[in-house]
C-alpha cells in the first residue's frame, strides 16, 4: 500500500466526468487499498478516484458517527438519489465541508438531508445504502467528484468569490498540482 498524491483544484482530472470502472481486478483492489491509506493519512472521510488522478467512477469512505458506528466502504460505478433540498439560512457549524483537493479550506454548502447510494463493492456485489446527515453529505461530495464537480463549484456568492481568492492566493487552479499527505505541509 502507498499514500498517493492528491490532485489540487485546476487539474483536469478533477473537472471532467470520470469513466465507469468496469472490471474489478487486482490493480483496482490495490488502488482502493492505496486510496484508503491516502484518505487516512490526509486525514479525510472520503476520497474519489479523480482526486488521486484516476478518472474512474469510484470512491472510498470511512467515517464514525456520533453513536460510534463506523461507516466504511468502497462505491464502484455508483448511482445516487437525493432527497429535496431544504430552504433557509446555511448553518456554518453543521453545513460546512472541506475537500482534500482544496486543502485547508471549509465553506458551508446546502446538501440533501437524505440519499440512497447504489453501487458495486470490491467483490462485485451490488449494494444499497440509505444515508442521512453527515454520511449523506459524504456520499454527495464524493459522487460530485465523479461528475467533475468540486464542492466549491456549488457555492453561492459571496462564498464562491472567497474560494476563488484562496485559489489565486495559493497559485492553484492550474494542471499538475498535488500534495501528498505525510510529505507536504498542508492543512487539509
Amino acid at each position: 500500500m502507498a499514500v498517493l498524491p492528491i490532485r489540487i483544484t485546476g487539474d483536469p482530472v478533477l473537472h471532467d466526468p470520470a469513466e465507469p470502472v468496469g472490471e474489478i481486478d487486482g490493480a483496482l483492489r490495490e488502488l482502493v487499498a492505496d486510496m484508503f491509506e491516502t484518505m487516512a493519512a490526509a486525514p479525510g472521510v472520503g476520497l474519489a478516484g479523480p482526486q488521486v488522478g484516476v478518472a474512474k467512477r469510484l470512491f472510498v469512505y470511512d467515517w464514525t458517527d456520533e453513536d460510534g458506528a463506523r461507516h466504511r466502504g468502497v462505491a464502484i460505478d455508483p448511482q445516487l438519489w437525493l432527497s429535496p433540498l431544504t430552504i433557509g439560512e446555511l448553518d456554518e457549524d453543521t453545513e460546512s465541508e472541506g475537500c482534500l483537493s482544496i486543502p485547508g479550506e471549509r465553506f458551508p454548502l446546502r446538501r440533501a438531508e437524505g440519499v440512497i447510494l447504489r453501487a458495486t463493492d470490491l467483490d462485485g456485489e451490488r449494494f444499497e445504502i440509505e444515508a442521512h446527515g453527515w454520511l449523506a453529505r459524504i456520499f454527495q461530495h464524493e459522487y460530485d467528484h465523479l461528475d467533475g464537480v468540486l464542492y466549491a463549484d456549488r457555492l453561492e456568492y459571496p462564498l464562491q468569490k472567497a474560494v476563488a481568492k484562496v485559489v489565486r492566493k495559493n497559485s492553484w487552479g492550474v494542471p499538475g498540482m498535488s500534495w501528498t499527505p505525510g510529505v507536504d505541509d498542508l492543512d487539509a
Side-chain angles (χ1 to χ4, degrees):
M1 291 192 307
V3 173
L4 304 171
I6 297 173
R7 304 295 173 98
I8 293 176
T9 185
D11 196 293
V13 73
L14 292 172
H15 303 284
D16 291 327
E19 297 292 323
V21 169
E23 183 182 348
I24 297 171
D25 57 14
L28 182 68
R29 285 182 175 79
E30 184 176 333
L31 171 63
V32 167
D34 290 347
M35 288 174 67
F36 273 115
E37 187 170 338
T38 302
M39 179 179 60
V45 295
L47 186 66
Q51 291 182 276
V52 294
V54 178
K56 296 291 184 180
R57 296 187 71 79
L58 79 148
F59 65 82
V60 298
Y61 59 94
D62 191 352
W63 173 69
T64 302
D65 67 26
E66 56 278 352
D67 296 328
R70 188 174 187 191
H71 306 273
R72 185 177 196 273
V74 58
I76 299 169
D77 294 331
Q79 298 171 304
L80 193 68
W81 287 267
L82 311 175
S83 66
L85 293 178
T86 59
I87 298 173
E89 289 274 326
L90 283 171
D91 183 327
E92 289 199 31
D93 292 330
T94 62
E95 294 185 288
S96 285
E97 61 186 74
C99 180
L100 297 175
S101 292
I102 307 173
E105 302 301 319
R106 293 185 67 78
F107 292 94
L109 175 65
R110 179 67 33 93
R111 295 279 193 181
E113 168 57 29
V115 301
I116 297 173
L117 172 70
R118 288 187 183 152
T120 301
D121 65 18
L122 273 179
D123 295 323
E125 300 294 323
R126 293 291 292 168
F127 68 90
E128 179 176 301
I129 298 174
E130 183 175 339
H132 297 274
W134 197 254
L135 186 58
R137 179 176 291 275
I138 293 168
F139 289 165
Q140 290 169 81
H141 182 108
E142 299 311 325
Y143 189 85
D144 272 354
H145 277 297
L146 306 183
D147 288 337
V149 176
L150 298 182
Y151 89 108
D153 299 331
R154 294 193 178 278
L155 296 175
E156 295 183 10
Y157 185 85
L159 297 175
Q160 199 171 56
K161 184 177 178 182
V163 170
K165 183 176 179 181
V166 167
V167 168
R168 277 191 312 276
K169 178 182 159 223
N170 288 290
S171 301
W172 297 338
V174 296
M177 298 197 74
S178 65
W179 70 282
T180 304
V183 175
D184 297 313
D185 188 20
L186 292 176
D187 277 338

